[in-house]
């Protein structure tokens, strides 16, 4: 019988949903992080359940043909890039299959075989990957803390824990990050400014958030403080403004305990309260608290796909739910009669309105509030229309009232943009029981090296076949 701390030898045969390798030992399923399909490895058993267990990789005995050396020395402890050991081609295949599997199993979607034509089944398009899957993130937020040897460091929390792993030159971030972090850490040392301690709630500097406009080059630095003011602020500003393209330096105040990174209050220290970036030929402002897609190169491809699926002719009324700063809304607006965007964060709605104005787009209206409240309410008004509905919810997916309102408004097409294919599949199942069928699916790799994948789905109605459409 297998026991805790036993060392076992296994061959990795599959991937779990978080990218961990799966092997069998004596009929017992073992999950081992940092391994890839085809590896033969030695693992120490760290946790055992009735029918499965978790092992910690001790040694790779025979390396899989899909294994590549990790670029980042902190890849294993950091855990942010779960797939850094896997060749990029194989990462893409993993993500394509993850999306397909979830949609088939949870969503009940049937896909057309590649050569079959004239079928009613859904079409799975090949995942859109990146040519160079590194240095793609326009935003990174680094927790600040202590190293074991008593230095102030910036890093990331080791997967699901609160122990800080020092990171230097994160290979998926921008090259300016390290320079900015070095300046902040040196300033903290010089003035004896303490990093925030999650345990005691004492200390000042919690996080450094850095954002960069990829096309404009503009940079924003946001220091998240457990307090109101940073000692010797002017000196720090002076040094940060020497970084080329520095555009915005702000403080964010967060005095609450807990996991939330940003508080609600932002104080401008220097420059503009936002940076700008362009996607396609539209320009957007990005404020510290607003959501903005983190991979600008892939965002352009994602939005193009969403727009293609919406197939607008110019006569449609379109709803863009969970619209953030109105990015998708503005692309839709150029091809539609009227667009309504709904977003929960008031400052993002303000940015959305300014974005519309600055891009000369006037056929769009943004509404601040919860999609599950605003959308049903507005659709209950006389004369309300929805020819196409686009949704792009956070990981937990759409609330049922959003889906019910979609069904009652009977749009011709629903374009579902999702960053979690399991909740996507759940919502697709709900919609398909009410008369919407999945026509096309296209995964987009917005997060290379990680297990995450974005998906765009086109659904259209088929009320005659619906199970419980009344
Ligand atoms: N479509 C946008 C934003 C997608 S991210 C883009 O591509 O940039 C999801 C957005 O949903 C975030 O801006 C988040 O603030 C917002 N959000 C989260 N819960 C919401 C809710 N219940 N109602 C409306 N918006 C919500």
């Amino acid at each position: 019988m297998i026991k805790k701390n036993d060392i076992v030898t296994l061959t990795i045969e599959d991937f779990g949903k978080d990218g961990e390798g799966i092997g069998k030992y004596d009929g017992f399923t073992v999950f081992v992080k940092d391994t890839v399909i085809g590896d033969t490895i030695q693992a120490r058993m760290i946790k055992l359940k009735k029918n499965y267990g978790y092992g910690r990789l001790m040694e790779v005995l025979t390396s899989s043909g899909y294994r590549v050396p990790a670029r980042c020395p902190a890849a294993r402890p950091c855990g942010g890039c779960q797939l850094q050991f896997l060749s990029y081609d194989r990462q893409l295949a993993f993500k394509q299959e993850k999306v397909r599997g979830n949609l088939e199993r949870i969503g009940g979607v049937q896909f057309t075989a590649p050569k079959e034509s004239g079928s009613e089944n859904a079409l799975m398009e090949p995942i859109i990957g990146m040519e160079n899957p590194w240095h793609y993130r326009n935003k990174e937020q680094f927790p600040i803390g202590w190293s074991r040897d008593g230095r102030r460091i910036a890093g990331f929390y080791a997967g699901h824990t609160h122990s800080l792993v020092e990171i230097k030159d994160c290979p998926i971030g921008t090259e300016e990050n390290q320079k900015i972090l070095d300046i902040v850490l040196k300033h903290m040392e010089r003035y004896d400014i303490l990093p925030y301690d999650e345990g005691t709630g004492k200390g000042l500097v919690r996080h450094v958030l850095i954002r960069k406009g990829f096309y404009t080059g503009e940079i924003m630095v946001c220091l998240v403080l457990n307090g109101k003011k940073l000692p010797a602020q002017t000196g720090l500003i002076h040094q940060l403004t020497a970084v080329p393209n520095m555009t915005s330096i702000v403080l964010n105040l967060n005095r609450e305990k807990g996991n939330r990174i940003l508080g609600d209050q932002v104080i401008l220290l220097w420059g503009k309260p936002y940076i700008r970036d362009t996607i396609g030929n539209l320009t957007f402002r990005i404020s510290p608290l607003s959501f903005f897609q983190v991979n600008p190169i892939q965002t352009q491809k994602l939005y193009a796909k969403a727009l293609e699926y919406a197939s607008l002719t110019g006569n449609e009324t379109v709803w863009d739910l969970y619209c953030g700063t109105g990015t998708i809304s503005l692309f839709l607006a150029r091809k539609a009669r009227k667009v309504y965007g709904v977003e929960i964060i008031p400052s993002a709605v303000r940015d959305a309105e300014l974005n519309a104005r600055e891009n000369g787009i006037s056929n769009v209206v943004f509404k601040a509030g919860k999609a599950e409240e605003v959308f049903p309410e507005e659709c209950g008004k006389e004369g309300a229309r929805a020819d196409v509905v686009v949704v792009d919810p956070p990981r937990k997916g759409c609330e049922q009232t959003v889906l019910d309102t979609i069904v009652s408004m009977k749009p011709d097409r629903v374009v579902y943009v999702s960053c979690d294919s399991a909740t996507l599949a759940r919502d697709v199942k709900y919609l398909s029981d009410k008369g919407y069928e999945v026509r096309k699916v296209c995964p987009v790799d917005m997060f290379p090296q990680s297990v995450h994948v974005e998906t765009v789905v086109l659904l259209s109605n088929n009320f005659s076949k619906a199970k419980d459409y009344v």
Side-chain angles (χ1 to χ4, degrees):
M1 223 2 216
I2 190 168
K3 295 185 306 299
K4 196 170 163 182
N5 288 325
D6 277 0
I7 306 274
V8 297
T9 299
L10 10 120
T11 300
I12 301 299
E13 293 163 5
D14 203 356
F15 286 115
K17 70 175 175 37
D18 295 323
E20 68 281 37
I22 302 179
K24 286 253 167 25
Y25 182 79
D26 230 0
F28 192 82
T29 302
V30 183
F31 295 87
V32 189
K33 259 173 33 107
D34 311 317
T35 62
V36 313
I37 281 191
D39 281 344
T40 300
I41 57 133
Q42 244 176 15
R44 187 161 55 81
M45 295 308 299
I46 47 177
K47 199 166 165 188
L48 288 175
K49 301 271 184 185
K50 203 162 155 226
N51 302 314
Y52 63 94
Y54 298 90
R56 181 172 166 73
L57 174 65
M58 304 300 288
E59 201 185 336
V60 179
L61 300 175
T62 342
S63 191
S64 156
Y66 301 126
R67 181 174 272 280
V68 293
R71 278 210 191 183
C72 178
R76 260 189 91 177
C78 166
C81 293
Q82 307 87 345
L83 303 182
Q84 233 189 78
F85 305 94
L86 187 59
S87 69
Y88 188 56
D89 282 354
R90 197 64 186 72
Q91 289 185 24
L92 292 176
F94 164 75
K95 292 181 187 192
Q96 181 108 43
E97 286 318 304
K98 176 167 151 171
V99 171
R100 179 196 296 276
N102 278 335
L103 284 170
E104 283 176 347
R105 271 195 318 276
I106 309 169
V109 178
Q110 288 185 323
F111 287 102
T112 307
K115 292 219 170 86
E116 206 178 325
S117 62
S119 148
E120 290 264 291
N121 290 347
L123 176 73
M124 169 66 82
E125 300 200 66
I127 184 167
I128 302 176
M130 290 191 85
E131 225 160 89
N132 173 14
W134 301 100
H135 296 296
Y136 62 82
R137 284 188 71 100
N138 62 4
K139 164 183 160 179
E140 284 199 288
Q141 31 203 17
F142 301 89
I144 304 295
W146 295 105
S147 66
R148 289 229 173 95
D149 60 357
R151 288 173 301 119
R152 289 161 175 85
I153 56 168
F156 289 115
Y157 291 117
H160 307 294
T161 73
H162 284 272
S163 60
L164 196 61
V165 179
E166 183 171 15
I167 305 281
K168 292 253 180 199
D169 293 314
C170 169
I172 59 169
T174 61
E175 60 189 70
E176 290 87 352
N177 286 344
Q178 195 55 47
K179 195 165 173 190
I180 292 166
L181 291 173
D182 287 344
I183 293 174
V184 173
L185 292 170
K186 276 214 187 85
H187 182 82
M188 288 177 65
E189 227 155 81
R190 179 159 174 210
Y191 294 96
D192 202 19
I193 301 168
L194 301 182
Y196 177 71
D197 180 321
E198 288 196 315
T200 61
K202 296 221 167 74
L204 185 63
V205 182
R206 299 176 72 131
H207 277 82
V208 177
L209 164 79
I210 305 169
R211 280 179 135 166
K212 179 177 177 181
F214 269 41
Y215 295 94
T216 58
E218 295 183 354
I219 294 176
M220 166 185 282
V221 176
C222 171
L223 299 165
V224 186
L225 299 187
N226 172 41
K228 278 196 197 140
K229 208 171 167 300
L230 191 76
Q233 233 158 243
T234 331
L236 180 66
I237 292 170
H238 183 72
Q239 290 184 59
L240 286 175
T241 50
V243 176
N245 291 319
M246 186 59 63
T247 305
S248 168
I249 304 174
V250 301
L251 296 179
N252 175 271
L253 313 188
N254 181 5
R255 307 180 98 162
E256 313 246 314
K257 280 199 158 189
N259 290 337
R260 225 176 112 190
I261 296 178
L262 294 172
D264 295 326
Q265 206 184 339
V266 177
I267 298 174
L268 179 65
L269 291 187
W270 181 88
K272 294 185 193 152
Y274 57 85
I275 54 169
R276 281 208 167 86
D277 206 9
T278 60
I279 307 173
N281 45 10
L282 295 176
T283 301
F284 298 96
R285 52 167 85 197
I286 307 169
S287 306
L289 299 181
S290 299
F291 176 88
F292 195 80
Q293 297 285 354
V294 296
N295 182 334
I297 294 167
Q298 293 301 86
T299 298
Q300 198 160 340
K301 300 176 192 163
L302 176 77
Y303 290 175
K305 191 48 81 178
L307 207 61
E308 176 196 320
Y309 283 2
S311 58
L312 301 172
T313 62
N315 295 320
E316 297 85 356
T317 298
V318 184
W319 285 82
D320 179 20
L321 306 179
Y322 313 89
C323 70
T325 54
T327 39
I328 299 180
S329 320
L330 297 193
F331 283 99
L332 294 165
R334 290 203 306 197
K335 301 252 159 110
R337 192 176 62 81
K338 181 96 195 182
V339 175
Y340 296 96
V342 183
E343 161 62 42
I344 198 167
I345 296 183
S347 67
V349 173
R350 268 198 305 281
D351 279 354
E353 285 163 348
L354 290 165
N355 285 335
R357 196 179 322 149
E358 285 169 12
N359 287 289
I361 293 175
S362 55
N363 58 335
V364 51
V365 174
F366 293 102
K367 298 183 183 283
K370 294 184 178 165
E372 59 273 26
E373 290 170 6
V374 174
F375 184 48
E377 210 173 281
E378 292 292 322
C379 288
K381 292 183 182 163
E382 215 179 292
R385 284 184 69 94
D387 301 310
V388 175
V389 176
V390 178
V391 297
D392 184 5
R395 284 193 195 155
K396 67 178 183 182
C398 295
E399 298 276 330
Q400 199 174 311
T401 48
V402 168
L403 302 176
D404 287 336
T405 309
I406 290 177
V407 173
S408 71
M409 294 303 285
K410 304 194 186 93
D412 295 331
R413 290 176 293 288
V414 177
V415 179
Y416 196 135
V417 182
S418 161
C419 55
D420 185 322
S421 56
T423 58
L424 164 72
R426 177 202 67 201
D427 291 351
V428 155
K429 174 88 181 80
Y430 189 83
L431 286 173
S432 67
D433 287 343
K434 311 243 172 204
Y436 278 89
E437 276 186 7
V438 172
R439 305 290 175 192
K440 290 183 185 174
V441 176
C442 185
V444 181
D445 192 21
M446 299 284 278
F447 316 104
Q449 318 306 333
S450 89
V451 288
H452 301 291
V453 55
E454 198 84 8
T455 311
V456 193
V457 172
L458 168 65
L459 299 108
S460 63
N461 68 41
N462 187 4
F463 292 138
S464 54
K465 280 213 224 148
K467 250 200 263 163
D468 50 0
Y469 179 72
V470 274

